[in-house]
Every structure is written in C-alpha cells, then in structure tokens.
Amino acid sequence: MPQGMFDDIAVSPTQMRREEDLVQRVLRSFDGTPNPRTKAIMQAVTRHLHALVREVRLTEAEWETAVKFLTDAGHITDARRQEFILLSDVLGLSMQTIAINNQELENATEATVFGPFFVDNSPCIDLGGDISGGASGKAAYIEGSVVDTEGNPVPGARIEAWEADDTGLYDVQHADGGTYGRAHMFADEHGQFRFWGLYPTPYPIPDDGPVGRLLRAVDRSPYRAAHLHFMVTAPGWRTLVTHIFVANDPLLAADSVFGVKASLVKEWTHHEASETTPDGRDLHGRPWARTRFDIVLAPDASMR
Amino acid sequence: MPQGMFDDIAVSPTQMRREEDLVQRVLRSFDGTPNPRTKAIMQAVTRHLHALVREVRLTEAEWETAVKFLTDAGHITDARRQEFILLSDVLGLSMQTIAINNQELENATEATVFGPFFVDNSPCIDLGGDISGGASGKAAYIEGSVVDTEGNPVPGARIEAWEADDTGLYDVQHADGGTYGRAHMFADEHGQFRFWGLYPTPYPIPDDGPVGRLLRAVDRSPYRAAHLHFMVTAPGWRTLVTHIFVANDPLLAADSVFGVKASLVKEWTHHEASETTPDGRDLHGRPWARTRFDIVLAPDASMR
C-alpha cells in the first residue's frame, strides 16, 4: 500500500478490494505484450498511476482538470515549443532520468538537463574563438581541459557550447532567425580548450502556457539559475551533456528545473576593461569575466 | 521503496541517495503552494512519477518516446476527438476515478464510464417513444423503474439514453451532422420508464491515433463490449452515469476500457417480427429484442 494512502479518508474494505481488483484487471490486460520491456513499463505505469489516483482520492473535477492540462500542453507544443519537456523539467523527471542514465562514475563530470535550445550544425570555431556571434552580454573567457577518469587527456574531443544572451533569450527565441551564442570547437592535442562567450544571465523558462500556470498555482518561480551549456563528445567516451553555473547566484537553490549540482558551480572572476585579456584579445573597451571548467569523461559503457 | 524497485539492476547506495535527494528537493519545491489540496496532489504526482521512472530505470530514449506519445495525443485532440480521455480509459484510470467517486452504497446501481459521445440538448421523448431517430439496427424495447435505496419510487427522474448504431458509430461520428441514437425522457409518477432503441452493437474505440498504436504494441483489442448508455438525474439523488451490457457478449471480459460490471450485464430476449410488441407498436415487419433495467439511485452526499 503506497505511503499516505487512505490516511484521512474512510474507505471500506469492500471498496478497497473493488479498486484493487480493477488494478489487477488492467495489469493482466498487458500480459500478452510481445516486448517484455514494453510490458514491464506499461504494468509499472498502471501500478503507479492507479496508486496516485487512489491515494489522493482524485475527484472527477480534478480528473477533468488533468485532461484539460494535458490537452492545453499538447496544443501549445509545436516545432519550436515543447511543453511536455517543460513539464518533465519542472517535476524533476528530466533530471531524474539523467541521474538514472548517468550514474556517477568515479570522478567523471556530472550531467544535467539538455534543455530545449540546442540546435544541430552550430558554427565551428578555432580554439580561442568567440561563440557569442555578436549576441549581447558581458564578455567571458572560458578555458579548461578534457581528460578521462584516469587523468589522461582526450585530444580532439568535440565541445559544443550554447547560452542565452543578457536579455535571457537564446538565438532561436529571437525572431531574426540568426545563429548566435552557440558554436563548437575541438580540444587540442593536450585535451585543452579555450573560448570567448558571454557571462551567463538567469532567465525564466517559457511560462505563458499550462506549465507557467502550474508554477504560478504552486507559487514557484520559472527562473533558471544562470548557466552555460556544454555537450562534449569523443569516440569511446560517454557523451557528457551538462552546464556550468555561477557561484553565489541566488537562484542556485531555486533552479526551476532542478538542474544545479554543486560540482558544476564555478567561480568567475571579473576584470576591468583596462586589464589585459588572457589571450591578448582586444575587447574594445569592454569589461570581462573569466572561469575554468575541467572536464572528466567517463568510458562509454557500450564499449567496455 | 515501491514494489519491484531495483530488483534486477544494481544501483549503488550512493546512486540511490542521489536519486532520493532529488525527489525530496522536488517535493520541497511545492511546500509554498497556497491551496493545500493542490499541494497534496502535486507532491503525490511527484512521488509516484519519480517512483515509476526509478523502478523501470527509464532510458533517455524511452523518455523521448513518452514525450512524443503525449505530443501526438495532444495534436490529434480537438473538439470532436479526445485522445487523453481515451488514454485514461485504456489504462483503467477513468474507471478507477469513477470507483473512487461512486463508492458502492447499499444496493445503488453501479456507475461506469461516461465516454466521449454524450451531447447536451438531446431530443425529449414521451415514455414509450423511440430514441433511435432512424439510426440503423435491431429494434429493442427497454423498460424499468427508478427507485431509491429503500425501494421508494423516484417519480420524474430524468433519464438520458444514448448508443451507437449497428455500424458501431454514434451520430457525432457520422459526417451528416444529424442527431440520432439519443434522447431523454422522464420517469412517470410511479418511477417507471419505457422506450424503444437499438439492440447494442460492439465497436472499437477510435484507434487511428497514439492510443491505437499503444493498444497494438501491447496486443490489446480496441473493442468495447456492446452497451447502451444511461445518465439518470433527480434532485436530491446522486447522478448515475452507467451502461447496460448484453449477457454472453464475448467482449464482456475484454472491454477495452474496463467498463463492465456484473450487475450491469442484462439478459435480452429476442422476438420474431410476428410477435406482438409490449406496447402494441407496429415495427413494420422487423424482429425485436427486449430487456429490463431497474435503477436504484443513491442519496446525494452533498445533501446528507
């Protein structure tokens, strides 16, 4: 019997048996499923969803609200907006799926949510190049290394980086159709990398749909802690999808999608326009920030 | 720990703690919800959905399949098609919600699914009239009584009846925009009622969308046992939404929405065209069927 079930509502033994009989009938309806994994998942879906509606003693009006919520989420979803991913995100289900599929391996860098703003075919930059592509925000220099769990460099690892501008929007959220705030590069023969980008800005997830209404109903903020996305791939290594965050960002403890992990929070230093940049780049009188992200890739489980 | 969890996949204590920590963080994010019922529901949704994904060790590809399934269900849903209700139906969640909200009360008639084919403002017929409105199928005479749980008649109870024709379609599924196979009437001063309709025909739920694909993947039939819908209302009594079924219908044990209850399965007698009808109606040479449905209404809980 799930925790909390029937705590405060009197349900007769006859009624409990009737409800349990229905659960068993639904479970048996999946007995003939040819694929054993599909069968196990559908029977688990049945057990957990029936336990949910029985525990809360769901009313018919609440059931209608749930149907309407899912319908609205479906209707706002299109090629540029994915409300079901947002829903999974704000319920922590995206992070839980990532946790399940990226179990901690020794000192490998931790993963976090992929998010809906990655796009294929980002520009390729040389090491030390600029991913911002003219997007607005404070300049930032990011450098680091890519090594394996034994400390050996991973030369040539492909590093994708993408981020919002200082208005809190990604390029794909702007109407101009441009590509900026994203690029990929390859680590050098020592596994080292460096690039210029933007100091991260916090922003809200899209909150003009049913997920936004849900967050308001539960008095939760739609804001994400400021972050810079990374995806790091190299043949023979587990693909790493992660972010880096900003130390002391007040949103770290209240990230709307539960994406923050302590190991991913980085110190950033801030520098006046007059200070010389690490690689001598001329920022034309702009101040700049700087941080370091040392990446550890886990072995690809499928190749062990 | 939910039943079956971690049975066959090794998950380290560190990993379990990491996953459980995430569940606790998501639960706490709802702590500030102003409405206590909303808070309880969202925390229960969180607990049960996280237990589900952890128990099955959901892969990232399966998570994507779930997002696509919900998206497709949203996109096929419109004013005439409700895929999320179908999904709730085939998972037995509609029947479970009905069971929870219509706990058996003494000898009151049992409820079953409402279905998506009810429409407001059906034609009103006199007792003994015909609900079929010209829809095709075998004529059937249905009579019965409406009483309370102590056996007292409920005069004037409003009885709505609706059903598919013998092609398995409701009027709203035909393209002609007509209204047929549905009507309402009022019980007489003794709580008695009688009408002509159609002998029920089994039919599949709409299976050309994601729910149909799901049923095929799990080798389940989309067919519903043959039935005739009723909704009975009277001031002071709990609204009864139910069906009657046909004894010996082979689909009774395999109804795709789990709507069958033994008490709702009725014997129907079959009669030659030459036999005189109970009320002397001239069927112009058609054979006919006959059954009886005695209805017992429960008191309206809100008025106790």
Side-chain angles (χ1 to χ4, degrees):
Chain A
M1 198 69 61
Q3 171 196 357
M5 196 164 179
F6 305 135
D7 273 0
D8 48 8
I9 300 175
V11 180
S12 70
T14 306
Q15 175 70 18
M16 284 179 59
R17 199 157 48 240
R18 210 169 148 226
E19 296 174 9
E20 187 57 33
D21 284 349
L22 175 57
V23 177
Q24 295 302 323
R25 272 203 290 155
V26 182
L27 289 174
R28 282 195 303 273
S29 76
F30 293 109
D31 278 349
T33 305
N35 181 307
R37 177 70 181 163
T38 305
K39 174 178 167 178
I41 290 177
M42 290 312 303
Q43 291 186 330
V45 164
T46 299
R47 274 191 284 105
H48 288 282
L49 292 183
H50 279 261
L52 169 61
V53 302
R54 294 175 69 195
E55 177 185 321
V56 304
R57 313 307 294 165
L58 194 72
T59 69
E60 289 170 306
E62 287 161 352
W63 176 87
E64 284 168 21
T65 300
V67 168
K68 182 171 186 320
F69 180 90
L70 293 169
T71 302
D72 290 348
H75 288 172
I76 205 171
T77 294
D78 60 21
R80 295 169 70 95
R81 171 75 175 262
Q82 231 308 350
E83 198 77 359
F84 292 110
I85 291 185
L86 281 186
L87 178 60
S88 170
D89 288 351
V90 302
L91 293 177
L93 294 168
S94 305
M95 277 304 288
Q96 191 66 274
T97 305
I98 289 161
I100 289 166
N101 291 281
N102 294 274
Q103 298 192 20
E104 259 178 309
L105 190 74
E106 301 169 39
N107 54 336
T109 301
E110 291 190 279
T112 186
V113 286
F114 191 50
F117 299 119
F118 176 79
V119 297
D120 283 318
N121 302 317
S122 68
C124 183
I125 59 168
D126 289 331
L127 287 174
D130 185 1
I131 74 163
S132 70
S136 65
K138 181 173 185 171
Y141 184 76
I142 299 101
E143 65 195 317
S145 57
V146 184
V147 300
D148 66 21
T149 47
E150 286 164 5
N152 305 306
V154 182
R158 178 182 168 121
I159 301 159
E160 290 266 359
W162 68 103
E163 60 181 330
D165 63 21
D166 67 355
T167 71
L169 296 174
Y170 289 80
D171 52 0
V172 293
Q173 296 176 287
H174 284 290
D176 62 7
T179 297
Y180 34 83
R182 66 178 73 242
H184 69 274
M185 69 207 81
F186 296 91
D188 67 19
E189 69 273 27
H190 307 294
Q192 305 289 310
F193 70 91
R194 64 208 78 93
F195 63 95
W196 285 90
L198 299 173
Y199 181 68
T201 301
Y203 62 84
I205 61 170
D207 67 344
D208 57 337
V211 169
R213 289 200 301 276
L214 171 62
L215 291 179
R216 283 187 288 282
V218 300
D219 201 19
R220 273 176 50 181
S221 164
Y223 267 82
R224 293 221 52 206
H227 60 275
L228 169 58
H229 290 265
F230 281 85
M231 179 162 71
V232 184
T233 51
W237 306 101
R238 188 166 75 184
T239 294
L240 172 67
V241 174
T242 195
H243 309 341
I244 54 173
F245 296 93
V246 177
N248 303 316
D249 178 351
L251 289 163
L252 287 173
D255 186 53
S256 57
V257 307
F258 308 97
V260 177
K261 290 178 175 171
S263 67
L264 302 174
V265 177
K266 303 298 172 191
E267 299 287 341
W268 299 63
T269 55
H270 290 270
H271 306 270
E272 299 300 327
S274 56
E275 291 181 67
T276 306
T277 57
D279 60 352
R281 178 180 281 256
D282 181 359
L283 296 175
H284 306 289
R286 296 163 63 205
W288 50 284
R290 179 176 185 174
T291 196
R292 183 169 183 91
F293 182 31
D294 289 312
I295 294 165
V296 181
L297 296 184
D300 183 346
S302 67
M303 303 186 67
R304 268 178 234 168
Chain B
M1 199 68 61
Q3 171 197 356
M5 196 163 180
F6 305 134
D7 273 1
D8 48 7
I9 301 175
V11 179
S12 70
T14 306
Q15 175 70 16
M16 283 180 59
R17 199 158 46 241
R18 210 170 148 225
E19 295 174 10
E20 187 57 33
D21 283 350
L22 175 56
V23 177
Q24 295 303 322
R25 271 203 289 155
V26 182
L27 289 174
R28 283 195 302 274
S29 76
F30 293 109
D31 277 349
T33 305
N35 181 306
R37 176 70 180 164
T38 304
K39 174 178 167 178
I41 289 177
M42 291 312 303
Q43 291 186 330
V45 164
T46 299
R47 274 190 283 104
H48 289 282
L49 293 182
H50 279 261
L52 169 62
V53 302
R54 294 174 68 195
E55 177 184 320
V56 304
R57 313 308 293 166
L58 194 73
T59 69
E60 288 169 308
E62 288 162 350
W63 177 88
E64 284 168 21
T65 300
V67 168
K68 180 170 187 322
F69 179 90
L70 293 169
T71 301
D72 290 348
H75 288 172
I76 205 171
T77 294
D78 61 21
R80 296 169 70 95
R81 170 75 174 263
Q82 229 309 349
E83 198 76 359
F84 292 109
I85 291 185
L86 282 186
L87 177 60
S88 169
D89 288 352
V90 304
L91 293 176
L93 294 169
S94 306
M95 277 305 288
Q96 192 65 275
T97 305
I98 288 161
I100 288 166
N101 291 281
N102 294 275
Q103 298 192 19
E104 258 177 309
L105 189 73
E106 304 168 40
N107 54 334
T109 301
E110 291 190 279
T112 186
V113 285
F114 191 51
F117 298 120
F118 176 79
V119 297
D120 283 318
N121 302 316
S122 69
C124 183
I125 58 167
D126 289 331
L127 287 175
D130 185 1
I131 74 163
S132 69
S136 64
K138 180 172 185 172
Y141 184 76
I142 298 102
E143 65 195 316
S145 57
V146 184
V147 300
D148 67 20
T149 47
E150 286 164 4
N152 305 304
V154 182
R158 179 183 168 122
I159 300 160
E160 290 267 0
W162 68 105
E163 60 180 331
D165 63 21
D166 67 356
T167 71
L169 297 174
Y170 289 80
D171 52 0
V172 294
Q173 296 176 286
H174 284 292
D176 61 8
T179 298
Y180 36 83
R182 65 178 74 244
H184 68 275
M185 70 207 80
F186 296 91
D188 68 17
E189 69 273 27
H190 308 294
Q192 305 290 310
F193 70 91
R194 64 208 76 93
F195 64 94
W196 285 90
L198 299 173
Y199 182 68
T201 300
Y203 63 85
I205 60 170
D207 66 345
D208 57 338
V211 169
R213 290 200 300 276
L214 170 62
L215 291 179
R216 283 187 288 282
V218 300
D219 201 20
R220 274 177 49 181
S221 163
Y223 267 82
R224 292 221 52 205
H227 60 276
L228 169 58
H229 290 266
F230 280 86
M231 179 163 69
V232 185
T233 50
W237 307 100
R238 188 165 75 184
T239 294
L240 173 66
V241 173
T242 196
H243 310 340
I244 55 173
F245 297 92
V246 176
N248 303 316
D249 179 350
L251 290 163
L252 287 173
D255 186 53
S256 56
V257 307
F258 308 96
V260 177
K261 290 178 175 170
S263 67
L264 302 174
V265 178
K266 303 298 172 190
E267 298 287 342
W268 298 63
T269 56
H270 291 269
H271 305 271
E272 300 299 328
S274 56
E275 290 182 68
T276 306
T277 57
D279 60 352
R281 178 181 282 256
D282 181 359
L283 295 173
H284 305 288
R286 296 162 66 204
W288 50 284
R290 179 176 183 174
T291 196
R292 183 168 182 90
F293 182 31
D294 289 311
I295 294 165
V296 181
L297 296 184
D300 183 345
S302 67
M303 302 186 67
R304 269 178 233 167

